[in-house]
Structures are given as C-alpha cells and as structure tokens.
Amino acid sequence: MTSYRRNFIPGGSFFFTINLADRKLSLLTTHIDLLRAAFRETRQRHPFTIDAIVVLPDHLHAVWTMPEDNADFATRWRLIKSTFSRNLALGERISASRATRGERGIWQRRYWEHTIRDETDFARHVDYIHINPVKHGLVKRVCDWAPSSSHRFVELGLCPLDWAGDFYEDSSAFGEIR
C-alpha cells in the first residue's frame, strides 16, 4: 500500500484539488446547493477559513487556512465529501472494491494538497483557482463563472471586475512553480 505524507501545520494555509470519481459528470455544479450545505455543516462543527474556491462541474479547487490550534483538513474533507454524497440520489457506478467497503462512487478517494509556502505562493494559487473556469473553456472571462470566490475578491476591492480579461492564453503564471 502506498504511504501518503501530508504536511499538517496548525494554522497553515493549503491548496486543494478534489475530483469526482467520474470526471464526465457535472454533479458539483448541478447540485451546488448540496455542496454548499456540506461545507456549511462541516465548518460549523470544524471551523476553517475558505480563502478562495472555485467549483467546476467535476472538480473543485480551494485554499483553506486552518485554525491556529488545528491542522486536521483530512477530517474536514471526509465530512464534506460524505455529507454531499449522502444527500445525492443513489445510482452511480460503484467498483467492486468500493462496494466491498460500502462506499459510494461519487468522489476520487484521494485529493491533491499543497502547503502554501508564502504570500507569493498564496497569490499564485488564488489566481490559479480564479482562472480555472477559463482554463477549462467553461467561460471566456473569470467574472462569468458564478461558483467562484473571484466575486468576493472583486467586492473587497482585491481585484478588478475584468481581472484576466477575456480568454487568457498563458496560464503559466498561475499555481505551482514549474
């Protein structure tokens, strides 16, 4: 079995990518209210700050900052994913290994996590989150994608309404440094 190492830092900020098991589905945007409710319920029981987020049809990206005395983002993701799944109608394809464990087939089991190193790294990941709907060809402008924290950033004056303009061709300036 593969051993995964997670960097649990109380009060740390982390970038996440969470995917559906079947990337052809659009459950996250179709059932956005269920997803929001799962986040709300989890945050009430296990607080954390959502610094930036974008929800696409088959995956989401987020930057969270954990409470000063806690670094358990794994429990929070487990609760969000299970709460969302419990509220969806049954009917997805389930592999034999998932069926044996009594699991639903909604989410990929694992997720990508990156510890934010500094303010530049934070800004790059927030930009990556906000440009993602454009990158995937879902919209031509960041401001045209509703389930995104980019709108909050505009309201707070942290970026202009036309941030990234129309279709942005060079996305190399966002996210991970290569």
Side-chain angles (χ1 to χ4, degrees):
M1 169 154 229
T2 305
S3 176
Y4 290 92
R5 284 199 256 165
R6 300 277 188 204
N7 196 12
F8 295 102
I9 300 172
S13 294
F14 304 89
F15 169 81
F16 301 98
T17 299
I18 312 293
N19 297 306
L20 291 179
D22 184 347
R23 298 292 300 268
K24 293 181 233 99
L25 298 178
S26 60
L27 295 175
L28 300 182
T29 50
T30 301
H31 301 285
I32 191 76
D33 290 337
L34 293 178
L35 184 62
R36 286 182 176 133
F39 268 90
R40 219 176 7 261
E41 182 179 318
T42 301
R43 288 178 69 198
Q44 286 173 349
R45 293 171 39 206
H46 302 279
F48 63 95
T49 301
I50 301 172
D51 299 299
I53 190 167
V54 67
V55 178
L56 290 93
D58 62 345
H59 70 287
L60 67 86
H61 299 288
V63 171
W64 292 359
T65 298
M66 301 302 294
E68 289 300 320
D69 61 344
N70 192 291
D72 189 7
F73 53 78
T75 293
R76 288 163 172 85
W77 278 121
R78 181 180 50 78
L79 291 170
I80 290 166
K81 290 163 78 171
S82 64
T83 301
F84 178 77
S85 298
R86 256 193 323 276
N87 290 303
L88 283 178
L90 295 171
E92 73 276 4
R93 278 193 316 231
I94 300 175
S95 68
S97 66
R98 285 182 187 259
T100 300
R101 294 179 176 167
E103 296 177 6
R104 298 276 313 258
I106 306 293
W107 299 97
Q108 286 184 2
R109 285 188 177 136
R110 307 251 188 303
Y111 54 87
W112 170 256
E113 162 258 324
H114 165 79
T115 305
I116 301 294
R117 296 181 294 267
D118 55 31
E119 287 182 30
T120 301
D121 195 33
F122 184 92
R124 289 174 63 87
H125 281 84
V126 169
D127 287 349
Y128 177 81
I129 286 169
H130 292 157
I131 200 73
N132 216 253
V134 175
K135 176 184 165 200
H136 287 283
L138 298 167
V139 291
K140 290 194 180 268
R141 299 177 314 155
V142 170
C143 63
D144 293 335
W145 190 253
S148 170
S149 59
S150 65
H151 306 286
R152 186 178 77 220
F153 278 64
V154 169
E155 288 172 13
L156 294 172
L158 299 173
C159 62
L161 179 62
D162 64 348
W163 179 83
D166 286 339
F167 183 75
Y168 192 82
E169 303 232 3
D170 179 14
S171 63
S172 64
F174 305 108
E176 285 289 327
I177 298 171
R178 296 185 195 272

